[in-house]
Structures are given as structure tokens and as C-alpha cells.
Amino acid sequence: MNRCLELAAQGKYYVAPNPMVGCVFVKDNMIVSEGYHRGFGMPHAEVDAFENLPNDINASECDIYVNLEPCSHFGKTPPCAELITKIRPNRIVIGAQDPNPLVSGKGIQHMVGAGITVVENILSDECMGLNKFFYSAYQNKVPFITLKWAETKDSFIGRLENDSSNRKISDQRNDAFVHDLRASHQAILVGAITLTQDNPLLNVRYSDGKDPIKIILSPNLSIDMEASTLKIGHTIVYNSKTSIKKDNVELVLLENFTLSNVLHDLYQRNIHSVLVEGGAKTLQHFIDLEYWDEIIKLKSSESWNDGVPAPHLSIEPNRKKKSFNDIISFYNRS
Ligand code: AOF
Ligand code: ZN
């Protein structure tokens, strides 16, 4: 199962909103075939591992291990539970149930009903942890929310409006870590003030993986439509004025502009994870309403003496680590 998790993780940047899944076939205590879900719309892990099995090995003499319950539905690919019942392995060992209502237990039922030996809940915490976005989104019906910001030693998150001094806070050597966060979330969200003042690109430059969908919150539609980020990738601008789609920018009208409605709309669009990068007001809003699952704070070693105050958090981190000249704190809700 640990090997399944390692294989699954190779799909990290490419499978969302699907989960990361790895699968191995074992014969006489030896792994004889491996596979994983390589990308959204591509074959599932079980199919990949089955196709990689050497011709001279009979699949029915193997134990099959997979970190997620095999699916029971016709989606972009046929049901894996069906494939397993055709193979009739010695047994199938599953990490954790699939929370997708199209599956959730039906894959297991199908195989047990066909007389296959099914072993469940092996390393289930690790299996659910790897796919925490996927599990959390189906459980809460909103995306998994990560809040991330960098603040100075004296707790400033940005410069005052007319101050043109250097804006960079975190150690440049942590850019790869921050961009890996961008690449591993499906969407990145900022408020209108950040878009206007910082003109950020919000893309992935210092890590592998693809750019997240960009979400801008602008109730009054006060953003500059010439902002750099609107020229690249896909952007959704939630507002209370108008709905219109032009090229790669989608303006989405919310009659009742609340964070809760934004999050529900994102979930409806199959977005399972959102990285909130600022600014202070937007982050504080998420904190005050307790709309977050994880907070990642990078604290630099420099003081600025003045600036825009960082968001206020009244809890202690679960974990802290020194990373180059920054201290990174991690806060988890569950
Ligand atoms: C598996 N093995 O490797 C994965 C599964 O649209 P589809 O056909 O790709 O189906 C996507 C759903 O299938 C996804 O939401 C999840 O419930 C399950 N993913 N299942 O048996 C896999 N990736
Ligand atoms: Zn499947």
C-alpha cells in the first residue's frame, strides 16, 4: 500500500479534480506490476497496472493493492470494479473508500457480490491524507481551502500604498515551495485590491505542474481589465454586477455576494482545492468566517517598521519549521 501511495503521488499535478491513485499486482510476495492514474481523463490506476502486467503472469494468481476503492461507474473510463471481477484475483486490498457519491461503497459491493475477497482500510489515514482535497471537498461540499501568506518579522504583509520600497517578504529560496503550492491546488484566489495594487501573475514559474485557475473577488467589478493575470490562463471574477464570458475571462454574477456562495459555486464547478494568497482583508475574511482547512504562514527575518498589517490569527500552529531565512508555520483545522 505504501508503494501504491508513492505511485499515486506521481499524478499530483495532473489528475485533479480526480484523486491520486496507485495500484500494484503482487505474486508470491513480489510486486509484478505497477500503475497509476497519470492524468485527468486517462486510464485509472487499476487499468494501468493490469496493462503493465508481463504476459507470462496470470492476473488471477495475484493480489491487487490500490489506495482507493475501485470505481463502479462509467465516467471517462469504464468501471474498475468490473475489471477486477473479470480478473478474479486472489484478493483485492483497498486503502480507503471512494467518497464520490457515484462510487462510495458501490465498487466494494460489486466485487463482494461477485465473490471476490476484499480487504479494506489498509493505511486508510495515509490514503485519505494523500487525497485530502478530494475527501474534504466531497464531505463538506465546498473546496479545501488553504490560506497562505508571508509576513515580516514585525507582522506586515505589504507596503503602504505610496511606498515603493522592495515588496518581497519571504526568502527567494522558498519560491519553489510557494509555487508548488500553486501547482498542487486547482485554483488560486485573491481579492480585487491585491489584483490592482500588486498586479500579480498568479501562475507557476518556480515549480513543475500547471497553472491554477485564477479566482478574483470583486463585488463592484472594480478591477483593471488590463491586469497582467487576465491575459494568461483561465480567470473567474466573482462580482455582483454582471455575468459574461470573454475569451479566457469569465465574469460571474452572484446575486448574493457572500464567501459561502463563492465557495459553493466553485464546488459546483468541480474545483476541489483553493489557495488563497491575499490580501490581508480577504485572508482575514476567510479566517473570521472560519472558512479554511489549512494555513501556511511564512515569517521572514526582516522588519519593516510600517506597512499593511498581516492577518490576525489567535491560534498556535500545529507545526513550525525553519526554511532558509523564513519560519514556516502550518495550522490545520482537523
Ligand atoms: C479508480 N481508480 O485510478 C481513479 C478513480 O471520469 P473518470 O472515469 O476518470 O472517473 C473519475 C472518478 O473515478 C473520480 O471522481 C473517483 O471517484 C474515481 N477515481 N477510481 O478506481 C483510479 N482515479
Ligand atoms: Zn476506476
Side-chain angles (χ1 to χ4, degrees):
M1 194 56 77
N2 275 314
R3 182 62 187 145
C4 289
L5 290 171
E6 277 177 12
L7 290 163
Q10 295 183 47
K12 170 173 165 180
Y13 299 124
Y14 312 108
V15 297
N18 280 354
M20 294 172 250
V21 186
C23 177
V24 298
F25 282 47
V26 174
K27 193 178 171 219
D28 302 330
N29 285 321
M30 295 262 293
I31 291 182
V32 288
S33 186
E34 299 186 330
Y36 68 99
H37 186 40
R38 289 160 197 265
F40 184 73
M42 294 183 65
H44 286 180
E46 300 89 321
V47 175
D48 194 41
F50 181 56
E51 282 174 354
N52 290 337
L53 188 71
N55 286 335
D56 58 342
I57 295 180
N58 190 342
S60 69
E61 291 168 6
C62 296
D63 288 358
I64 300 177
Y65 290 73
V66 60
N67 58 292
L68 183 83
E69 171 186 5
C71 64
S72 52
H73 68 295
F74 283 88
K76 294 196 166 46
T77 63
C80 294
E82 190 63 43
L83 171 70
I84 307 291
T85 56
K86 284 199 183 115
I87 293 175
R88 303 205 72 76
N90 260 340
R91 57 174 193 162
I92 176 151
V93 182
I94 298 171
Q97 269 206 15
D98 186 334
N100 180 348
L102 288 172
V103 185
S104 74
K106 295 190 210 63
I108 293 171
Q109 252 175 31
H110 180 83
M111 294 184 295
V112 170
I116 308 288
T117 306
V118 179
V119 180
E120 285 182 65
N121 292 325
I122 301 302
L123 293 185
S124 58
D125 286 350
E126 288 82 351
C127 293
M128 290 166 76
L130 178 73
N131 284 311
K132 63 184 179 187
F133 298 162
F134 181 70
Y135 280 93
S136 169
Y138 276 115
Q139 190 181 336
N140 302 325
K141 308 274 181 282
V142 289
F144 184 103
I145 305 292
T146 305
L147 311 183
K148 175 253 139 190
W149 72 87
E151 63 181 47
T152 62
K153 192 175 181 193
D154 49 356
S155 303
F156 294 108
I157 193 179
R159 294 290 185 187
L160 294 171
E161 217 168 315
N162 296 319
D163 185 346
S164 60
S165 335
N166 175 22
R167 309 181 83 85
K168 182 84 179 144
I169 297 174
S170 56
D171 190 316
Q172 199 177 341
R173 291 167 292 181
N174 284 321
D175 287 353
F177 166 72
V178 171
H179 280 227
D180 174 81
L181 282 176
R182 287 184 173 185
S184 47
H185 285 72
Q186 262 180 281
I188 183 168
L189 183 151
V190 296
I193 301 173
T194 296
L195 188 79
T196 308
Q197 286 183 358
D198 294 3
N199 194 18
L201 280 170
L202 305 175
N203 62 358
V204 176
R205 301 188 295 284
Y206 308 117
S207 154
D208 289 338
K210 52 179 194 260
D211 294 345
I213 296 169
K214 291 154 297 165
I215 314 295
I216 316 293
L217 303 186
S218 184
N220 301 322
L221 207 48
S222 55
I223 56 163
D224 173 8
M225 294 307 283
E226 293 303 308
S228 306
T229 197
L230 303 184
K231 306 212 183 305
I232 53 168
H234 183 74
T235 308
I236 300 173
V237 183
Y238 285 105
N239 69 90
S240 48
K241 301 275 184 215
T242 184
S243 268
I244 181 173
K245 189 167 188 298
K246 195 167 172 283
D247 302 328
N248 53 340
V249 179
E250 220 176 318
L251 306 183
V252 176
L253 167 77
L254 288 179
E255 296 286 352
N256 184 9
F257 195 97
T258 63
L259 217 41
S260 165
N261 285 343
V262 167
L263 299 183
H264 283 103
D265 190 80
L266 288 169
Y267 177 74
Q268 296 301 328
R269 290 166 189 264
N270 250 334
I271 293 179
H272 289 172
S273 57
V274 178
L275 179 68
V276 181
E277 280 210 10
K281 203 176 125 198
T282 302
L283 287 161
Q284 194 67 56
H285 203 169
F286 276 86
I287 293 169
D288 292 345
L289 292 172
E290 299 194 356
Y291 288 161
W292 61 272
D293 298 283
E294 186 164 10
I295 297 179
I296 300 174
K297 184 176 89 181
L298 292 92
K299 199 156 185 86
S300 82
S301 54
E302 268 181 49
S303 291
W304 280 359
N305 303 318
D306 67 2
V308 177
H312 178 69
L313 254 185
S314 53
I315 50 173
E316 289 301 309
N318 299 68
R319 185 163 67 89
K320 267 187 187 189
K321 71 169 188 185
K322 175 117 175 97
S323 183
F324 302 109
N325 282 331
D326 300 331
I327 292 169
I328 310 182
S329 299
F330 297 86
Y331 303 75
N332 295 94
R333 255 160 88 78
S334 41

